[in-house]
Amino acid sequence: MKFLKLAALTALSLAFCAGAVVVPPIYYPPYGTYYVYSVPHQLFFNNAHETIAEGNPIIGYSMTQPKYTNEQFLVEAADATTGGYIATIRVLETVQQNASAGGYVRNSNGALVHSAAAEAWTLQPVAGEPLQYMIVDGGVAITLNSSTSGTQLTAEAADDSATNQRWMFVPIDQIDDFDSENDVPVIG
């Protein structure tokens, strides 16, 4: 994370000194396993109560210590033929323990739930906010409306200005540094 911050600052400094306006490239996280972090609320995606069951809530939850696989999510390509960055998001715990149960993050009547059925989400970069994304599908975006740990994630009308729809994908091998560098509260 420190490298990315330094690289971004260096690029901005060079652009400022040269008098040029530099538009950074669009960067998408590689497919892999992540902690999905709510930027304004300092909460992470979490498969509530580690329950591998259809309809189990996906919630925003404080980072725990030790860390569990119900807090880790596998981001995989959904359809490489359509362009853009379209992915499925799955609970790693389900993938490891009962893959036939799916573990996909799915919109069910406006609530995000654990499902056997895959749903394709598009990662939409947030303008002016490197490494932040909206996670959208069909005009709705994954939303967290509270800083209270345990709050149900919802799917609401996508709004580019809504900070509660902004997410970061933190690689699992960088989570401890991310937590300490960003003063993320950790329970347990």
Side-chain angles (χ1 to χ4, degrees), residues 10-89:
T10 301
L12 289 174
S13 296
L14 291 172
F16 181 75
C17 292
V21 175
V22 176
V23 177
I26 295 175
Y27 169 82
Y28 294 104
Y31 296 117
T33 306
Y34 296 90
Y35 291 91
V36 184
Y37 177 71
S38 168
V39 176
H41 296 304
Q42 294 188 309
L43 298 175
F44 294 84
F45 272 31
N46 182 295
N47 183 44
H49 311 293
E50 301 179 65
T51 303
I52 298 174
E54 188 71 24
N56 192 59
I58 303 296
I59 60 175
Y61 201 77
S62 298
M63 179 51 61
T64 61
Q65 194 62 274
K67 299 186 174 40
Y68 298 100
T69 54
N70 70 311
E71 303 167 321
Q72 299 171 13
F73 287 78
L74 183 61
V75 178
E76 302 173 299
D79 185 356
T81 64
T82 59
Y85 194 90
I86 300 172
T88 59
I89 303 171

Side-chain angles (χ1 to χ4, degrees), residues 72-144:
Q72 299 171 13
F73 287 78
L74 183 61
V75 178
E76 302 173 299
D79 185 356
T81 64
T82 59
Y85 194 90
I86 300 172
T88 59
I89 303 171
R90 298 176 75 186
V91 180
L92 183 61
E93 177 180 54
T94 305
V95 173
Q96 292 175 340
Q97 294 182 18
N98 185 1
S100 66
Y104 293 99
V105 173
R106 186 166 181 80
N107 176 8
S108 177
N109 298 315
L112 275 286
V113 298
H114 179 285
S115 180
E119 180 163 349
W121 296 95
T122 300
L123 272 60
Q124 177 181 311
V126 174
E129 298 292 343
L131 306 178
Q132 292 184 26
Y133 304 89
M134 292 176 60
I135 306 169
V136 299
D137 179 38
V140 298
I142 296 178
T143 306
L144 180 59

